Amino acid sequence: IVKMVKQETNNAVNAKIDFGDFDLSLIKSFPNFHFTIEDVSVIGIDEFEGKQLAAIKELNLVVDLMSVIKGETIQVKRINVIEPYIETKVLANGKANWDLAKESETVEVEDSSLEEGASSFKMDLNRVSIEKGRIIYDDVTMPIHMDIANLDIDLTGDLTASVTNIDAHGSVAAFNLTFDGVQYMKNVKVLLDVVMEMDIDQFKFTFKDNEIWANKLPL
C-alpha cells in the first residue's frame, strides 16, 4: 500500500515526493483518529531539479472518528507540523516551484445526472499549528527574499471556509526581509496575537484586533 501511495502521488505531481514511517492510532487521541507521518520530502524536477521545496520532520493529524464513519464531512480537528522546512522560489520566467499539479485532460460532461450524483465530501479543518518552522520565499520577479526562522504558530478557525475569521498566536525567532537589494529586516524577533478575516475568493486579508511586536516595537 505504501509503495502504491508513493507511486500514485508522484504520478500526480511535477516533483519527487517521499515519506518515512507512519502510524495510525485510536489511543493517542481517543475517540479520534491520530495519524502521524514522518520525514516527508518534496524535491523539484525540471527547472528545479534537485532543489528542495519541503522537508517535514513530522506531520500529525487528529480526525474525528464519527465524521469518518458518516463520510460526508471529514472533521480534521487539528494538523500539527513539526520542524517543517519550506523553500519557495519564483524564477525570472514566472515559474514557481510550488506549482506541482500536472495538467490533466478536460472531459466534458453531457449527462447532468452525473453532476447530481457528485460526492458531497468536504473537509472541515479548524486548527493548524507549526513548531520550529523555517520558511524561505525567494521571488526574483519582485525581487524579494524573505527568510522566517524558528516559526511557532497556532491558527484556529474554520480554515476551509471561503470567508472566515482566524485567530493566530505565535512567534518568529529571526525574520529577514530584502526587497530590491535593500535589507529592511535583519534577525528581527516577531511576536503576534492576531485576529484576521480571510476572504479566499477575493484573496483579501483584513486585520482586526491584533498586536504584533517587531523586537521591542509594537505595531
Side-chain angles (χ1 to χ4, degrees), residues 13-15 44-49 51 53 87-103 137-142:
V13 298
N14 292 309
I45 61 174
D46 299 331
E47 300 104 316
F48 303 102
E49 181 68 36
K51 302 295 183 180
L53 168 60
E87 185 170 356
T88 57
K89 289 182 176 292
V90 181
L91 302 178
N93 60 7
K95 179 73 174 179
N97 67 339
W98 66 81
D99 186 13
L100 302 179
K102 289 184 177 180
E103 293 184 4
Y137 177 72
D138 185 16
D139 186 344
V140 299
T141 66
M142 299 286 287

Side-chain angles (χ1 to χ4, degrees), residues 2 5 20 23 27 37 39 41 51 56 73 86 92 103 105-106 111 124 134 147 162-163 192 203 207 212:
V2 173
V5 170
D23 178 65
I27 299 176
I37 183 169
D39 301 323
S41 68
K51 302 295 183 180
I56 301 172
T73 300
I86 299 172
E103 293 184 4
E105 296 181 1
T106 57
D111 188 351
D124 184 9
R134 175 88 181 274
D147 189 340
S162 58
V163 179
L192 53 139
F203 205 69
F207 288 91
I212 302 174

